[in-house]
Amino acid sequence: MYQVTINDFEGPMDLLLHLIKTHDMDIMNISIDEITKQYLLFIEKQEEMNLNVASEYLIMASELIEIKSSLLLPKKEEEEEEIEDPRETLINRLLEYKMYKEVTNEFEKLEEERKNYYTKPQDNLNEYRNEDEPLDLGDVDLNKLMEAFSKFLVRKQEEKPLNTKISKKEYSVRQRSTEIISVLKKKKKMNFEELFDVYKKDYVIVTFLSILSLARHGEIKIVQSDNFEQISLSLRGE
């Protein structure tokens, strides 16, 4: 059987919530006599095991004893309506702590879920801005191409969440460039977005870099007939 120890709790409020739950108590109507008894019993067991009980746990023990004592004191009839329930402050503290604990647990779940997402470092596009070897995109400059690519990503993001799971298949710029040339030989001309037929992060990035690489080496021609029109690609000389 698993033995619960003081080290399993984040503080006395955490221990009190545990005792309330394990003894099936109503947090809004705590039996101070019972909760004090269980709390002190737990602390005593820790001391018997030669564990160092933090001072905050002992302070809470004294508070519980004080509340218990105040409830046992006889009250005059005229005082009964005026005196507040000594448990009220403790109950409010427990409710507040319980709320924060639940929020913290939710954040921990979200943190674990976030670990299932993988991101790729931003690619360096400076090699495509080499002034000694200018990038010839035809009548479309790099800014327009980047803008078209950004709009495509935004639209896809709205349609469907980006699949960020690691893919077993690896893509390379050289391999994807060969595929693009092969497709253009068959179709002669394609819209820019048609080349992103698979919407996976690594595939999309490699495809875009392949387009830039092919343009840099003068193998494809990129054309936009008018502002805001679709950008099309074709092989040079076709």
Side-chain angles (χ1 to χ4, degrees), residues 11-24:
M13 301 301 289
D14 201 27
L15 172 57
L16 280 175
L17 284 180
H18 169 75
L19 293 173
I20 289 170
K21 183 178 180 180
T22 53
H23 292 84
D24 199 23

Side-chain angles (χ1 to χ4, degrees), residues 66-126:
E66 183 180 358
I67 294 172
K68 180 179 177 181
S69 300
S70 64
L71 288 171
L72 294 174
L73 290 174
K75 301 180 183 62
K76 296 179 181 180
E77 292 183 5
E78 59 270 16
E79 292 179 343
E80 288 185 359
E81 295 182 1
E82 298 178 2
I83 297 177
E84 294 183 358
D85 189 340
R87 302 175 302 171
E88 187 174 347
T89 301
L90 177 63
I91 291 172
N92 289 336
R93 287 169 62 191
L94 282 168
L95 289 172
E96 184 178 4
Y97 180 82
K98 184 172 181 288
M99 179 185 69
Y100 282 118
K101 188 176 176 66
E102 289 172 352
V103 170
T104 301
N105 290 338
E106 187 63 30
F107 280 140
E108 288 175 352
K109 290 179 183 178
L110 292 174
E111 183 183 10
E112 289 299 316
E113 289 179 8
R114 182 64 182 83
K115 291 178 182 178
N116 294 325
Y117 293 84
Y118 302 88
T119 56
K120 184 180 183 299
Q122 183 176 355
D123 291 278
N124 187 355
L125 301 180
N126 288 333

Side-chain angles (χ1 to χ4, degrees), residues 3-92:
Q3 180 68 44
V4 179
T5 68
I6 205 80
N7 295 324
D8 295 317
F9 303 102
E10 297 175 358
M13 301 301 289
D14 201 27
L15 172 57
L16 280 175
L17 284 180
H18 169 75
L19 293 173
I20 289 170
K21 183 178 180 180
T22 53
H23 292 84
D24 199 23
M25 296 184 193
D26 181 1
I27 195 171
M28 298 299 295
N29 189 28
I30 302 171
S31 169
I32 290 296
D33 183 58
E34 182 63 23
I35 197 67
T36 302
K37 175 184 173 183
Q38 295 300 331
Y39 186 92
L40 294 176
L41 183 62
F42 186 89
I43 296 298
E44 287 172 7
K45 287 182 178 179
Q46 305 308 300
E47 292 176 333
E48 288 171 6
M49 297 171 64
N50 297 320
L51 293 176
N52 293 323
V53 180
S55 59
E56 57 181 338
Y57 286 92
L58 298 179
I59 291 173
M60 176 56 73
S62 65
E63 289 180 7
L64 290 171
I65 293 171
E66 183 180 358
I67 294 172
K68 180 179 177 181
S69 300
S70 64
L71 288 171
L72 294 174
L73 290 174
K75 301 180 183 62
K76 296 179 181 180
E77 292 183 5
E78 59 270 16
E79 292 179 343
E80 288 185 359
E81 295 182 1
E82 298 178 2
I83 297 177
E84 294 183 358
D85 189 340
R87 302 175 302 171
E88 187 174 347
T89 301
L90 177 63
I91 291 172
N92 289 336

Side-chain angles (χ1 to χ4, degrees), residues 142-153:
L142 184 57
N143 290 330
K144 286 186 178 179
L145 194 64
M146 288 295 294
E147 183 181 350
F149 183 57
S150 297
K151 289 181 179 178
F152 164 75
L153 292 179

